Amino acid sequence: MTHPSPHPESPSRDRFPVVVIGAGPAGLTVAGLLRAASVDCLVLETESRHFIERRPRAGVLEEWAVRGLEQRGLASGLLERAGRQTLCEFRFDDSAHRFHYTALTGRHHFVYPQPLLVTDLVREYADVRGGEIRFGVRDVAVHDTGTDRPSVSYRCPETGRRRVVHCDFVAGCDGARGVSRAALAPRHARIARHDYGVGWLALLAEAPASADHVLFGVHPDGFAGRMPRGPRTTRYYLQCPPGDSPDNWPHERVWTQLRRRLAAADTPPLTEGPLLEKRMLDLHDYVVEPMASGRLFLAGDAAHLTAPIAAKGMNLALHDAFLLGEALAAYLTTGDEQGLTGYSRACLRRVWDYQEFSRWLAEVYHGAASGDPYRAGTTLARLRRLFSSPTAAASFAEQYLGTGDHL
Ligand code: RFL
């Protein structure tokens, strides 16, 4: 069923049970689950619908996350169109070493670009389930979340006037640069932060990958990675000094370094193409603990960031959103508080597990280029162990796929 959009001149409502700040994977999933449970909510988003449906970012989804979306009626586009990944390949010492994790575990990854997932989730929430999103809002602020009458205010893009929306709960899903994290910390939560001391140049190339699996190049010049994103685009990463500028990386230098760092005997050449995106990332992680206070609950990157080292961020955002959407729906429909009370603890278990794996993998990626022969030696020892010890291989596969029973 498709619901018509409200008439542009009809007065906007100023009270909803839940206000969701941010229309990323976390916010849209929370909102979709609330609508499915017949709980009304409002999503506030600073960007336009056109923009969020095109913003390139993640692409690798873990199988449990896709099954979670499927069980909640949110995966039909994904299951039709997503690619599957069954192995990854490490390149070091001029040779290629393939790690066939599906052969080992029966599990795989899905490859589905984040803008496609966001497009599907917006359509499901707004067009199919009739939920409301106000796009282009400015100066969002969160108020009184320590009381049972919180509110969220914003500047309306059409009139420039400040509007206040009253609610029972605020879901802060506004990513790493939003406002809801600051509303929680430092008064009600602490932020644990880790800086890797390295930069990554994140690139999106208009070129098919020469094979459909992920490549990790561990090289004395620095790490290089390749992640296929679809038939026409490929994400690449190049380690560089922190604070470096994308302007220092013209097309020729990028491709020369990618070829050098991903070189291995008997492998096909990389397929070169124009660079659609070139962004510098100073790699860091943070975790807000606890992820909730009073009537404000954080989800996704608003609560925790994992550098894109192990492709975990969007998966964690979905995990939080499943728990938060269902906990809010349970409370607002039956008064059951259990989900909300245990929310932060349940999320943080997986968050910390993934953080630890990211740190482990970061050392594998960066040790060889650290300039420290001790770190370079232990990096190679880790890689050799991965390809020679079945126990080490099983442990890596479990963490890489996010399938541990303890999570
Ligand atoms: P998002 O996606 O950032 O969405 C937040 C939304 O909130 C809006 N917003 C606000 N709205 C209202 N008021 C405000 N004050 C607001 N401030 C911001 C924003 O416009 C946006 O629409 O957060 P969310 O939903 O928590 O989702 C998190 C994921 O986007 C993120 O973890 C991933 O993109 C991380 N990530 C990856 N994760 C994976 O699981 N697999 C990957 O392969 C993967 N690759 C990546 C990545 C992140 C990357 N970047 C951004 C560094 C590759 C890259 C290059």
Side-chain angles (χ1 to χ4, degrees):
M1 184 173 54
T2 300
H3 295 256
S5 306
H7 188 275
E9 281 167 22
S10 62
S12 319
R13 280 172 57 194
D14 63 3
R15 178 158 183 95
F16 289 81
V18 181
V19 173
V20 177
I21 309 178
L28 291 166
T29 303
V30 169
L33 298 187
L34 290 170
R35 288 294 298 181
S38 303
V39 174
D40 221 356
C41 68
L42 170 68
V43 179
L44 296 175
E45 166 61 50
T46 44
E47 303 292 350
S48 67
R49 179 168 180 169
H50 180 86
F51 181 86
I52 63 165
E53 290 184 345
R54 278 158 193 79
R55 179 168 45 197
R57 275 192 179 175
V60 179
L61 279 165
E62 296 178 352
E63 211 176 326
W64 62 263
V66 173
R67 298 296 162 223
L69 288 166
E70 187 183 14
Q71 282 156 17
R72 293 160 178 91
L74 296 170
S76 52
L78 193 164
L79 290 170
E80 239 170 67
R81 289 181 285 164
R84 280 159 203 236
Q85 240 164 43
T86 59
L87 73 138
C88 59
E89 183 174 317
F90 286 87
R91 293 188 175 175
F92 54 98
D93 282 347
D94 197 38
S95 53
H97 305 259
R98 290 189 169 185
F99 187 82
H100 292 270
Y101 52 84
T102 300
L104 198 64
T105 64
R107 310 286 180 94
H108 57 81
H109 282 116
F110 286 85
V111 182
Y112 197 57
Q114 187 165 333
L116 294 186
L117 180 67
V118 166
T119 302
D120 294 351
L121 293 172
V122 172
R123 188 181 308 126
E124 187 61 34
Y125 168 71
D127 304 339
V128 179
R129 299 184 186 178
E132 184 173 347
I133 309 184
R134 295 183 193 161
F135 289 103
V137 298
R138 295 275 160 264
D139 305 330
V140 175
V142 179
H143 312 278
D144 303 324
T145 51
T147 73
D148 56 6
R149 287 195 195 82
S151 60
V152 180
S153 66
Y154 65 93
R155 195 170 303 286
C156 174
E158 287 86 26
T159 63
R161 275 199 222 114
R162 201 144 190 93
R163 299 194 53 118
V164 180
V165 183
H166 300 274
C167 55
D168 299 316
F169 290 95
V170 180
C173 307
D174 46 354
R177 297 200 176 86
V179 295
S180 49
R181 185 166 63 262
L184 199 72
R187 247 176 358 123
H188 305 288
R190 63 166 194 186
I191 303 185
R193 188 181 157 106
H194 174 68
D195 282 285
Y196 289 90
V198 298
W200 273 15
L201 183 65
L203 305 150
L204 198 65
E206 190 175 2
S210 44
D212 62 1
H213 59 272
V214 169
L215 292 185
F216 303 125
V218 175
H219 191 275
D221 282 5
F223 169 77
R226 185 200 71 186
M227 283 91 198
R229 283 293 191 255
R232 284 183 300 277
T233 49
T234 307
R235 191 168 272 298
Y236 287 96
Y237 294 112
L238 276 171
Q239 182 185 344
C240 52
D244 203 350
S245 161
D247 299 342
N248 294 334
W249 290 86
H251 183 95
E252 254 329 294
R253 185 179 179 206
V254 164
W255 286 102
T256 304
Q257 278 298 314
L258 285 172
R259 278 193 296 269
R260 189 172 154 78
R261 299 183 193 184
L262 290 169
D266 306 321
T267 54
L270 301 182
T271 314
E272 230 182 274
L275 299 169
L276 306 173
E277 189 196 49
K278 225 169 25 165
R279 285 181 57 192
M280 197 56 70
L281 311 174
D282 279 334
L283 292 198
H284 67 279
D285 302 327
Y286 60 74
V287 180
V288 177
E289 202 166 13
M291 289 166 51
S293 173
R295 295 290 179 117
L296 172 63
F297 290 77
L298 304 187
D301 281 8
H304 40 75
L305 193 79
T306 44
I309 288 168
K312 296 293 192 189
M314 184 159 69
N315 294 284
L316 287 175
L318 291 173
H319 184 250
D320 294 352
F322 296 155
L323 296 180
L324 183 56
E326 278 157 11
L328 286 169
Y331 181 79
L332 289 163
T333 53
T334 67
D336 178 358
E337 288 185 352
Q338 231 180 322
L340 288 179
T341 313
Y343 169 70
S344 179
R345 185 193 293 252
C347 295
L348 286 167
R349 225 182 142 80
R350 189 175 283 271
V351 168
W352 279 116
D353 194 84
Y354 282 21
Q355 293 282 345
E356 192 283 325
F357 179 59
S358 286
R359 280 199 76 180
W360 183 91
L361 196 55
E363 185 57 20
V364 172
Y365 290 169
H366 304 132
S370 64
D372 174 348
Y374 184 86
R375 282 181 62 193
T378 50
T379 293
L380 289 176
R382 281 187 186 183
L383 284 167
R384 280 194 301 269
R385 189 188 305 135
L386 180 59
F387 288 98
S388 57
S389 154
T391 314
S395 166
F396 177 83
E398 180 183 282
Q399 292 176 86
Y400 191 56
L401 288 158
T403 50
D405 289 340
H406 60 290
L407 292 170

